[in-house]
Amino acid sequence: MSDRVYKVYAIENGTVIDHIPTPMALKVVEILGIGSGGVFTLGVGFQSKRLPGGKDILKIENRVLSRNETDIISLIAPNATINIIREGRVQEKRRISLPESITGVMLCPNPNCATNMLGAPRKFRLENRSLVTYRCQYCERVTGVISENLVSPER
Amino acid sequence: MSSFSGRSIISLRDMSVSELWRIVEASGEVKSGKHPGLLSGLGVASLFFEPSTRTRLSFESAVLKGGGTVFGFADPGSSSQKKGESFADSVRTVTGYCDAMIIRHPVEGAARMASELSSVPVINAGDGSNQHPTQTFLDLFTIFESVGRLEGLCVGLMGDLKYGRTVHSLAHAMALFGARMVFISPSSLAMPPHVLTELAESGISFRVVSSPEEAQDSEMDVLYVTRIQKERFGDPQEYESVAHSYRVTRETVAVLGDSIKIMHPLPRVDEIAEEVDSLPNAIYFRQAHNGIPTRQALLGLVTGGIS
Ligand SMILES: [Zn+2]
């Protein structure tokens, strides 16, 4: 099974994100803002011991994601594994954790928030790590993370 | 050196206990006449994107009494907003005309956004249902002035605790001073769980009761009363019965003890009987008047008139 995964397409340089719960890989593409440019390969619906509903794999070519970017992935895929590939080899295995702050990629669910009404930039700070809640820096309301509220940073 | 000089005042969440103390102390200094003309030569913009006559008059009077000048608009109908200018552009423009900016806006987070666009300090005079920090500062000053301390008090909050921005902020501030709290409201207007969670997480003990008499043995130092709005009830009869049980009379004061102080952010309707006004326990008019020295002190701190 996992043999097939790596047969999909091996990359020389870039970032491989494994163990994304199916079908969230496209959401990861969206919040990383790579949908509008760059080369990536997406594998969807592989069997996984860890993820009974299946897993997706995303390979981004010629781009090493920053820690901020990979931590953002934990909002969607807390158990994702990150491999940084250099010249065909795994150069770094990276663990991810919830980011202390989120800028741009999350919408505030409060319709009367300055981010929704006045064009304020979207900024949240981690409120509670175990409950996975964030506080909007404008309306100051606390919100959980739901994938519908995660968007491309360019939107 | 003041930590306030040049700083915007947006939310209680940005304030430490020592900063709250400094504001209370400075308010007392202003009230006792220690800083005459602390705003002289300064121009303060007062931008009210929604009308709020009491708050606006209090701020504008504070500026004038401090020797400053004040200009702006009282409601959005008279502003360039009507012509479609964006909020951000209004702030970017006005920041070049003034030394400090007072903003009232119906959108939550508007004042924070303004403070990020402005080169002069912004003071939040209310942003939707979010924050109204100067109300809390004047409440703290009034409590300190009347009770003589802020630490270790027992504070009762009564009325509409669900929608009341004022009581949420006051609860947050009193928690910083280690208060015990008693929440008195009809169950449909109870303190929301997120506020209770925050208090519990900061180690604050509180009690939830359904009438002031039930709180008799809590030995409250302060009872803070807020208005219960008719609109919150579908059934007018239900409103009448609720309004009746959350009304403070001379009898209530007698039950709660001689030393209790009764506060109210005003305007009141009939949640405090007029017969209470003449009691020494009634401090709500003094509370309203304290808005002037408190706002003067705050403007002085952020513009450097008080160090
Ligand atoms: Zn918000």
Side-chain angles (χ1 to χ4, degrees), chain A residues 114-115 119-123 125 137-138, chain B residues 8 10 87-88 91-92 95 101 103 109-122:
Chain A
T115 61
R122 302 186 284 264
K123 282 189 268 181
R125 252 183 233 134
Q137 293 307 288
Y138 290 88
Chain B
S8 290
I10 305 302
F87 174 70
V91 172
R92 288 185 186 109
T95 188
M101 206 185 290
I103 292 192
R112 173 87 60 199
M113 180 182 175
S115 72
E116 291 167 348
L117 299 167
S118 171
S119 55
V120 301
V122 171

Side-chain angles (χ1 to χ4, degrees), chain A residues 34-89:
Chain A
I34 54 179
S36 54
V39 179
F40 62 91
T41 308
L42 224 163
V44 177
F46 298 101
Q47 284 181 20
S48 164
K49 275 179 229 149
R50 270 195 261 168
L51 296 164
K55 67 169 188 178
D56 296 353
I57 296 176
L58 174 62
K59 302 182 180 191
I60 305 161
E61 281 195 54
N62 298 321
R63 187 163 150 201
V64 174
L65 294 181
S66 69
R67 183 157 290 278
N68 278 345
E69 287 173 308
T70 50
D71 277 349
I72 289 284
I73 295 167
S74 67
L75 297 173
I76 294 169
N79 298 313
T81 50
I82 315 287
N83 287 326
I84 308 296
I85 313 290
R86 276 264 153 84
E87 292 170 355
R89 300 191 145 183

Side-chain angles (χ1 to χ4, degrees), chain B:
Chain B
M1 263 300 278
S2 155
S3 67
F4 284 103
S5 187
R7 181 173 152 186
S8 290
I9 304 296
I10 305 302
S11 166
L12 250 327
R13 292 184 189 284
D14 306 332
M15 317 291 303
S16 67
V17 172
S18 61
E19 288 166 340
L20 292 174
W21 265 125
R22 182 66 193 113
I23 292 169
V24 167
E25 190 183 53
S27 305
E29 291 167 12
V30 169
K31 193 169 176 178
S32 67
K34 197 183 158 193
H35 300 284
L38 80 167
L39 302 173
S40 65
L42 299 182
V44 177
S46 161
L47 311 184
F48 276 63
F49 292 89
E50 74 177 354
S52 173
T53 308
R54 301 161 89 62
T55 302
R56 186 174 56 83
L57 292 180
S58 177
F59 265 111
E60 296 186 356
S61 158
V63 175
L64 296 174
K65 281 197 168 183
T69 50
V70 62
F71 61 90
F73 49 84
D75 73 84
S78 61
S79 78
S80 50
Q81 297 285 299
K82 217 177 176 182
K83 296 179 195 134
E85 184 181 41
S86 76
F87 174 70
D89 279 359
S90 300
V91 172
R92 288 185 186 109
T93 308
V94 174
T95 188
Y97 302 163
C98 61
D99 300 292
M101 206 185 290
I102 296 154
I103 292 192
R104 170 89 168 201
H105 201 289
V107 169
E108 286 114 37
R112 173 87 60 199
M113 180 182 175
S115 72
E116 291 167 348
L117 299 167
S118 171
S119 55
V120 301
V122 171
I123 292 181
N124 186 3
D127 61 329
S129 65
N130 185 32
Q131 291 272 329
H132 187 12
T134 58
Q135 176 71 49
T136 310
F137 301 156
L138 77 89
D139 290 344
L140 291 177
F141 173 51
T142 306
I143 293 172
F144 179 69
E145 196 187 37
S146 315
V147 185
R149 62 194 164 96
L150 285 173
E151 287 110 337
L153 298 174
C154 181
V155 178
L157 301 174
M158 181 169 103
D160 180 354
L161 306 184
K162 186 175 182 185
Y163 300 99
R165 162 181 75 183
T166 308
V167 288
H168 299 167
S169 288
L170 186 59
H172 177 97
M174 291 315 303
L176 294 174
F177 290 98
R180 283 180 297 131
M181 279 178 252
V182 183
F183 302 133
I184 310 157
S185 75
S187 56
S188 59
L189 295 174
M191 203 55 124
H194 71 89
V195 178
L196 299 181
T197 307
E198 251 186 75
L199 293 175
E201 280 172 359
S202 52
I204 294 300
S205 306
F206 56 84
R207 208 177 150 191
V208 177
V209 297
S210 56
S211 78
E213 290 76 15
E214 281 174 62
Q216 195 184 341
D217 58 350
S218 288
E219 296 176 339
M220 291 185 285
D221 299 287
V222 173
L223 178 64
Y224 197 103
V225 184
T226 61
R227 186 151 61 99
I228 293 177
Q229 287 171 291
K230 222 178 214 158
E231 305 88 271
R232 305 284 184 216
F233 293 86
D235 176 3
Q237 247 183 333
E238 194 198 340
Y239 165 75
E240 290 304 333
S241 77
V242 161
H244 184 77
S245 13
Y246 295 89
R247 183 173 154 86
V248 175
T249 60
R250 278 188 173 236
E251 210 185 310
T252 324
V253 175
V255 168
L256 294 178
D258 272 352
S259 62
I260 186 113
K261 305 290 183 221
I262 310 291
M263 296 177 72
H264 192 297
L266 304 183
R268 73 168 153 184
V269 181
D270 49 18
E271 55 278 11
I272 301 177
E274 277 186 35
E275 62 181 26
V276 176
D277 296 1
S278 57
L279 295 177
N281 311 73
I283 58 170
Y284 29 90
F285 292 114
R286 184 203 289 191
Q287 181 188 356
H289 299 158
N290 277 343
I292 309 288
T294 306
R295 290 179 170 120
Q296 250 181 290
L298 192 66
L299 283 161
L301 286 166
V302 302
T303 56
I306 303 177
S307 57

Side-chain angles (χ1 to χ4, degrees), chain A residues 74-130:
Chain A
S74 67
L75 297 173
I76 294 169
N79 298 313
T81 50
I82 315 287
N83 287 326
I84 308 296
I85 313 290
R86 276 264 153 84
E87 292 170 355
R89 300 191 145 183
V90 176
Q91 192 204 27
E92 181 194 346
K93 284 183 176 289
R94 191 183 290 171
R95 288 187 178 279
I96 55 174
S97 61
L98 289 174
E100 287 296 329
S101 64
I102 307 175
T103 305
V105 297
M106 191 153 87
L107 299 176
C108 182
N110 171 12
N112 197 40
C113 174
T115 61
N116 294 317
M117 295 291 288
L118 301 172
R122 302 186 284 264
K123 282 189 268 181
F124 293 83
R125 252 183 233 134
L126 185 60
E127 176 77 7
N128 187 313
R129 193 169 281 279
S130 52

